[in-house]
Amino acid sequence: MSAPGEPSSSDHDAPPRSENVAATAGRSILVGIKEAVAPGVRLLDLIGDHVILFARAVSWLPRRPVRAGNYLEACEYVGFGSLSIVLLVGAFTGMVMSLQSVYAFRQFQLESFAGGTTGKALAVELAPVLTALMMAGRAGAGIATELGTMRISEQIDALESMAVNPIQFLVLPRLIAGMLMGPILTLLFFVIAMIGAYFVAVVVEGVDHGQFILHTREILNPIDIVQGEIKSVVFGLLVILIGCYQGFNAHGGGRGVGLGTTRAVVYGSVVVLVSDYFLSNVLLRLIPPEVA
Amino acid sequence: MSAPARDPPIDRDGTRLDQPHVRWQVRVRGLDKRFGTNHVLDAVDLDIERGKVNVVIGASGAGKSVLIKHFMCLLRPDRGSVWVDGTDVFSLSPKPLSTFRRKFGLVFQFSALFDSLTVEENCAFPLKEHTAKSRSEIRDIVADRLGALGLHDTQKKYPGELSGGMRKRVGLARALVLEPEILIFDEPTTGLDPLATRNVDEMILAAVDRYKVTSVVISHDMASVFRIADRIAMIQNRTILAAGTVAEIQDSREPYLFEFIRTSGVAAAFGAADAAHDGQGVR
Ligand SMILES: Nc1ncnc2c1ncn2[C@@H]1O[C@H](COP(=O)(O)OP(=O)(O)O)[C@@H](O)[C@H]1O
Ligand SMILES: [Mg+2]
């Protein structure tokens, strides 16, 4: 604390001009640096905020009351909401992958490998990633809209005013649902895609049934499916967390909710694709797929 | 003699802030709130009188909603304190805060009913969360509150199917089910026609009378304010411009306050002398 009567020094007598120029230059360099790193800082801020939201939600996990109904509803919303689109996209992804593989391998009379290569690509990458993208578009966007509307219409404040923690009530059940439903949807995607692949290869393109099954078993390792499932838990969490964050922090009326929804889809999709690379690196080193 | 670690907070009138006051149930002291660069409240002092209708008036965007959200710690200030019956609101940890919040019933500006729940479920929500009452007990309480507000046939409807005035009443019913000590209404009459406004005013007075609550009403409808208020505080330019009983406020010659009330057209509130003095009747 400074004494009240203390004279302030820099009121009159301006500093000499040269010093002034140096100070101005110094300041503009600082401003320049600040502006250059600003996007990075904002990104770190945003990541930090998501981590905090996640941590706060998890801190409510062991606490009562446990509202089973909220968890069931969230699972239904995330799971059933995305089910039909996941099945549709899964079937066609399997079919087109199989079609391309059959044509590529036909040059070497190796069509029967189509099932194995398709299965491997689906299990490790396509099923978890495409399912997560579908979830970002469906559940992530839906949650951002729902929570965003609740935020701007003060329903979240109302919860809090009634002494109900909105993170425990709204966010936690959805995060859990994302982590549970991600792997289930991914598995369904994989199964239906393999059925599609079989249909195109064996029924349409005339690949031998026995050969198709044999090579699929040779190339596709159960570890691949485990890897895909581990990824899908992480993706499910990320996509829903981003949706919750955007909804929870919505402001600025209906337009704000719309922006949040768009961001939930865009950020969710980008984060899935980026984190997939790093996650693959980790998983490949942790559980290397042995050649059977 | 060992000095206490911190001196007990003493108010201007010499009473201790950390003990309940006979007259003032809520005491706001030096409240300062910014959102980024937007300085909304600056050193706000306000007293809410026990058992009375306390009205807060002010232009839209003046920070009325922000102010009342501090009462129950829905927002945290940058500086300052709020004392409710001797409790320092912002010092409460989550558990006691949760209990403390049940002292309040908050009726939101746009009702803030949960769209995914029916009217009945909305009103039952606080009871389900905070009491061990059985389903049938809850149903009875909810039916009683809804009935008292003239909402008999709406139990199974969703908020989206109701008119604005009805939603407000459901919001009040929901705020009343836990029998709060302090009822806060955020702009209960904004956007309603004159008759609906009078209905809501009557509903507020009836609730105050029946449940013996302290109430805080935010409004900028001066006709309604003079019908219901015991005390009025005006918020302007980030702080409380004037506060007092209705008579004190009417006698105030604070230019902005005077202009605010005069422009609202409630000339009767000033008596004929003022209207005559003004040179033209305000009609
Ligand atoms: N959650 C918030 N985040 C940022 N700014 C806010 C928030 N809530 C209110 N404000 C700002 O505070 C100011 C006062 O708002 P408010 O209290 O709602 O006004 P009113 O007196 O009409 O109720 C406005 O400028 C508003 O934009
Ligand atoms: Mg307001």
Side-chain angles (χ1 to χ4, degrees), chain A residues 251, chain B residues 35 38 40 58-67 69 75 109 186-187 218 220 235:
Chain A
H251 54 86
Chain B
F35 294 103
N38 184 4
V40 181
S60 19
K64 305 180 293 294
S65 302
V66 169
L67 173 62
K69 280 181 184 170
L75 288 173
Q109 185 166 359
D186 193 349
E187 305 203 9
I218 292 179
H220 37 215
I235 181 165

Side-chain angles (χ1 to χ4, degrees), chain B residues 29-34 42-43 70 76-81 90:
Chain B
R29 293 293 175 268
L31 203 68
D32 210 282
K33 178 69 181 175
R34 295 161 198 261
D42 185 5
H70 282 92
R76 281 178 183 275
D78 297 310
R79 206 170 317 124
S81 52
F90 306 118

Side-chain angles (χ1 to χ4, degrees), chain A residues 67 150 153-155 157-164 169, chain B residues 69 72 74 98 101 108 112-115 125-126 129-130:
Chain A
R67 302 175 183 87
M150 290 186 76
S153 63
E154 295 185 305
Q155 290 174 53
D157 285 329
L159 271 179
E160 217 168 347
S161 81
M162 287 185 268
V164 173
F169 194 85
Chain B
K69 280 181 184 170
M72 50 203 310
L74 294 180
S98 169
R101 278 180 176 153
F108 286 85
L113 299 173
F114 303 122
D115 336 287
F125 184 87
E129 284 294 327
H130 294 301

Side-chain angles (χ1 to χ4, degrees), chain B residues 7 46 57 90 130 179 235 267-268:
Chain B
D7 294 331
L46 180 68
I57 59 176
F90 306 118
H130 294 301
E179 298 176 1
I235 181 165

Side-chain angles (χ1 to χ4, degrees), chain A residues 24-54:
Chain A
T24 312
R27 220 172 307 127
S28 31
I29 290 173
L30 270 184
V31 169
I33 292 176
K34 250 190 212 156
E35 256 167 38
V37 300
V41 171
R42 268 205 300 276
L43 180 65
L44 284 183
D45 253 3
L46 195 61
I47 293 174
D49 285 351
H50 281 82
V51 173
I52 290 170
L53 180 61
F54 176 67

